[in-house]
Amino acid sequence: MRVLKSVLASILLLTLAAAALAAAPNAQDILAASDAVRNPAQPFGLLTRLVEYRNGKETANMSLAIYAKAEASGGQFRNLVRFVTPVRDANKLMLKSGNDLWFYDPASKASIRMSPQQRLLGQAANGDVVTVNLALDYQATLAAEEDIQDGDRKPRHCYKLALAATSPDVTYHRIELWVDTATKQPVKGKYYSESDRLLKTAYYRKVEKHLGADRPTETVIIDGLDPNWVTVMRYSDWTWRDVPEAWLQRDYLPRFKAE
């Protein structure tokens, strides 16, 4: 009888463990759902304005027109970025195709390969301003489910995801990402270098409906060492638009004309 009870207890524990495992959310699915919140599914354009602050005072700003289109196979985004302001940088271009990132200056008529880790303005790197599906570049695991404060100091119940890069060409070696359990909206991210140094913390704020979904329209980026060094990225002028294949070719950059 004791043996039978022990066997039944073991079966019950295994059943409960299997049920718990089956009910546990899939981290990669959560990450993909968060990507869908940030990124429209069809080709689109928007305007991104970056403002750098030091000790609360604005020190620099720029505006970029972004044209984004997902690859037919694979689903990762390709981007053409046109510099709008400041005037000295107007009509310079940046092209992201696959893991390649190119910068084109009409004055020199030369395209130069760039690193996505290179800083563009303040704490915003080149890789921060282009559209990406993180689920295609990172392997996610579910680290925790916890309550945190969002960028407006409001409580949010979130999945905490640990993201490990699957390629050396991505912007960050690893990321900790908090995703709202109900809406799958990204709430907070911590971004680390290959040496595991905290580079920056980002808060995703000001959710508004654009192109058929509620999306964050502002990212506040705080330096990993100096909390008084802040860069704010604001997104506006969202629109569905055709992004011709020619625009996404390096050889076409000298012929691109802003509409």
Side-chain angles (χ1 to χ4, degrees):
M1 183 61 72
R2 289 180 179 177
V3 173
L4 179 59
K5 286 182 178 180
S6 177
V7 170
L8 291 174
S10 298
I11 292 173
L12 179 60
L13 288 173
L14 289 171
T15 302
L16 291 173
L21 185 61
N26 181 280
Q28 207 68 24
D29 290 344
I30 296 169
L31 182 58
S34 177
D35 282 338
V37 168
R38 292 185 303 103
N39 305 326
Q42 303 172 39
F44 69 97
L46 57 77
L47 185 70
T48 299
R49 184 166 188 262
L50 297 90
V51 184
E52 178 187 24
Y53 296 92
R54 294 271 193 167
N55 298 309
K57 294 183 178 180
E58 181 178 330
T59 54
N61 68 77
M62 68 167 46
S63 296
L64 307 169
I66 314 289
Y67 311 98
K69 181 179 184 178
E71 295 176 336
S73 60
Q76 189 54 279
F77 279 91
R78 293 176 293 165
N79 295 251
L80 180 66
V81 179
R82 177 173 61 86
F83 290 66
V84 179
T85 62
V87 173
R88 67 177 181 273
D89 293 326
N91 296 317
K92 293 177 181 177
L93 301 171
M94 191 159 58
L95 172 68
K96 181 183 183 296
S97 181
N99 287 326
D100 293 329
L101 192 67
W102 300 93
F103 175 78
Y104 175 77
D105 186 345
S108 64
K109 298 187 178 181
S111 57
I112 303 169
R113 191 165 185 176
M114 303 184 72
S115 165
Q117 295 89 2
Q118 183 176 336
R119 284 180 179 169
L120 180 63
L121 183 141
Q123 284 307 303
N126 292 329
D128 291 326
V129 299
V130 296
T131 305
V132 294
N133 277 328
L134 295 175
L136 298 177
D137 287 336
Y138 292 86
Q139 182 63 47
T141 56
L142 183 58
E145 190 172 325
E146 59 189 21
D147 293 315
I148 67 167
Q149 283 192 332
D150 65 14
D152 296 313
R153 300 186 183 278
K154 295 180 179 178
R156 302 282 291 273
H157 190 62
C158 294
Y159 296 119
K160 179 183 177 182
L161 303 181
L163 310 185
T166 57
S167 165
D169 298 324
V170 297
T171 311
Y172 302 104
H173 180 67
R174 75 177 182 93
I175 302 171
E176 293 175 325
L177 184 67
W178 286 261
V179 177
D180 188 287
T181 57
T183 65
K184 303 305 183 290
Q185 291 170 359
V187 176
K188 175 183 175 181
K190 287 189 171 184
Y191 298 84
Y192 295 84
S193 68
E194 191 170 358
S195 62
D196 215 35
R197 179 171 66 89
L198 176 63
L199 297 172
K200 64 193 71 174
T201 299
Y203 290 93
Y204 303 92
R205 306 174 59 227
K206 296 189 177 180
V207 173
E208 299 175 2
K209 186 172 286 295
H210 290 283
L211 304 184
D214 293 328
R215 310 182 191 279
T217 63
E218 181 177 278
T219 304
V220 178
I221 306 172
I222 304 169
D223 181 71
L225 293 176
D226 181 1
N228 294 310
W229 187 9
V230 177
T231 306
V232 179
M233 298 171 58
R234 298 185 177 98
Y235 316 107
S236 64
D237 299 353
W238 303 72
T239 182
W240 298 121
R241 64 158 306 132
D242 179 46
V243 180
E245 281 294 315
W247 289 12
L248 303 171
Q249 306 301 319
R250 179 190 173 196
D251 293 344
Y252 189 79
L253 294 176
R255 302 196 297 275
F256 177 81
K257 300 295 182 184
E259 298 179 350

